Amino acid sequence: MGHSKQYTGNLNLNGKDENGVESCSNNQDSATKFYNFQEDRSIEKFKVGQIWALYSDIDEYPNYYGLIKKVKWEGSGLTMSVKWLEFLPENDKEKLLLRNDLPVSCGRFQVRGAINHYDSTDAFSHLVHAKPLKKNVSYEIYPNCGEVWAIFKNWNVDVDCEKPRDYGVVEIVEQDKGVVKALSLTKVKGYKYVFMPDPRPATDIQIPIDECLRFSHQIPAFKITNQESGKLKDYWELDPDSIPSMLLSMDP
């Protein structure tokens, strides 16, 4: 299941594998103030041929990808069929990540494996803008301008997957050929899920495409443009289910 390993279990209709283990979703009991992210995961948003991010069973963040093969709503409920996208390593560093069983969210992916079935959208995070290399066969996924992503701080491909990870949050502001340019974001005081550009100097980040394994996962985000006091204008409210837990508990 997912990118960094071949999943061999069989999912039944409620998103559980053959051992009865549920697919991961944070499902935090938390209310955002400016945007309802659950609406973006309502069943009418799902269409055949779309690529969606799902919560992984390794770190519980949305860094698994699936291709929607069928969406059917009957009197007995929802049946949604999905095929996993598996990461295609292109160099020794990427192969090392696979051996360490670490999720990978950027690069090239191939549609593989058996069809799996769901009867709810709980395991799904967000629609992914994937570039088809060969439709329904292989795709390329990289951060796009205007998206918000979690990144690994002090990233090293040799990192021990058992150790706690140190995360940051960035807004993608430009994607030149060969490099992704991003702006660091930090929490707004008094708001748990609202982030703003980091006011400290030297917070611009440039990540070469060949180091995009540093990106952990995309975070669904809403840019606040119409707020009564105006003090939060152009800041971001982030989906609580995708914010790294260490940042949720951290004071700005």
Side-chain angles (χ1 to χ4, degrees), residues 1 4 29 42 61 72 82 113 116 121 162 171 199 211 216 225:
M1 175 178 178
S4 57
D29 183 16
S42 57
Y61 298 129
K72 189 174 183 180
V82 177
N116 301 285
T121 64
E162 298 299 324
E171 174 190 354
E211 293 183 11
S216 169
T225 57

Side-chain angles (χ1 to χ4, degrees), residues 121-184:
T121 64
D122 290 347
F124 296 82
S125 171
H126 59 273
L127 181 65
V128 174
H129 299 288
K131 177 183 177 182
L133 301 176
K134 190 174 181 182
K135 191 174 181 181
N136 294 329
V137 175
S138 58
Y139 295 84
E140 192 174 72
I141 299 174
Y142 288 104
N144 295 298
C145 291
E147 294 177 346
V148 174
W149 281 68
I151 63 170
F152 298 120
K153 290 185 174 181
N154 304 317
W155 178 82
N156 188 323
V157 72
D158 299 315
V159 67
D160 184 344
C161 60
E162 298 299 324
K163 292 182 179 179
R165 315 298 290 276
D166 190 9
Y167 292 91
V169 175
V170 299
E171 174 190 354
I172 310 302
V173 295
E174 190 176 345
Q175 191 189 74
D176 285 339
K177 189 174 183 180
V179 66
V180 176
K181 297 180 180 179
L183 181 65
S184 293

Side-chain angles (χ1 to χ4, degrees), residues 15-247:
K16 295 181 180 179
D17 66 16
E18 57 194 356
N19 298 315
V21 178
E22 293 187 3
S23 298
C24 291
S25 170
N26 292 343
N27 285 328
Q28 298 181 34
D29 183 16
S30 51
T32 50
K33 291 182 178 293
F34 304 101
Y35 191 76
N36 183 359
F37 291 97
Q38 294 299 329
E39 289 185 356
D40 288 343
R41 297 185 274 267
S42 57
I43 184 57
E44 64 269 14
K45 305 289 187 181
F46 289 78
K47 309 294 181 185
V48 171
Q50 292 176 335
I51 304 293
W52 278 75
L54 296 89
Y55 302 103
S56 82
D57 55 0
I58 296 176
D59 57 15
E60 298 188 355
Y61 298 129
N63 45 38
Y64 285 172
Y65 298 127
L67 171 66
I68 307 299
K69 299 294 290 183
K70 182 176 77 171
V71 181
K72 189 174 183 180
W73 184 267
E74 297 179 321
S76 58
L78 168 70
T79 300
M80 186 154 53
S81 302
V82 177
K83 292 196 81 170
W84 296 112
L85 271 65
E86 298 287 340
F87 177 60
L88 296 175
E90 297 184 347
N91 54 51
D92 290 341
K93 288 184 178 180
E94 294 177 353
K95 291 176 182 177
L96 179 60
L97 284 177
L98 293 187
R99 288 197 295 270
N100 285 342
D101 202 26
L102 292 175
V104 179
S105 61
C106 294
R108 294 189 175 190
F109 300 84
Q110 184 170 339
V111 180
R112 289 181 177 172
I115 290 179
N116 301 285
H117 304 285
Y118 288 87
D119 66 356
S120 81
T121 64
D122 290 347
F124 296 82
S125 171
H126 59 273
L127 181 65
V128 174
H129 299 288
K131 177 183 177 182
L133 301 176
K134 190 174 181 182
K135 191 174 181 181
N136 294 329
V137 175
S138 58
Y139 295 84
E140 192 174 72
I141 299 174
Y142 288 104
N144 295 298
C145 291
E147 294 177 346
V148 174
W149 281 68
I151 63 170
F152 298 120
K153 290 185 174 181
N154 304 317
W155 178 82
N156 188 323
V157 72
D158 299 315
V159 67
D160 184 344
C161 60
E162 298 299 324
K163 292 182 179 179
R165 315 298 290 276
D166 190 9
Y167 292 91
V169 175
V170 299
E171 174 190 354
I172 310 302
V173 295
E174 190 176 345
Q175 191 189 74
D176 285 339
K177 189 174 183 180
V179 66
V180 176
K181 297 180 180 179
L183 181 65
S184 293
L185 301 180
T186 187
K187 284 176 71 173
V188 175
K189 188 174 182 179
Y191 295 87
K192 194 170 184 180
Y193 313 124
V194 178
F195 284 66
M196 67 178 187
D198 194 327
R200 294 174 296 180
T203 55
D204 291 351
I205 297 173
Q206 296 192 30
I207 300 178
I209 287 292
D210 60 3
E211 293 183 11
C212 272
L213 297 177
R214 184 177 173 186
F215 287 97
S216 169
H217 59 278
Q218 184 184 348
I219 302 176
F222 172 73
K223 180 165 274 193
I224 302 168
T225 57
N226 186 18
Q227 191 248 344
E228 189 173 340
S229 70
K231 67 178 182 179
L232 301 179
K233 188 176 185 298
D234 292 333
Y235 291 173
W236 293 96
E237 183 168 52
L238 306 186
D239 183 353
D241 281 349
S242 298
I243 301 174
S245 55
M246 61 171 292
L247 297 180

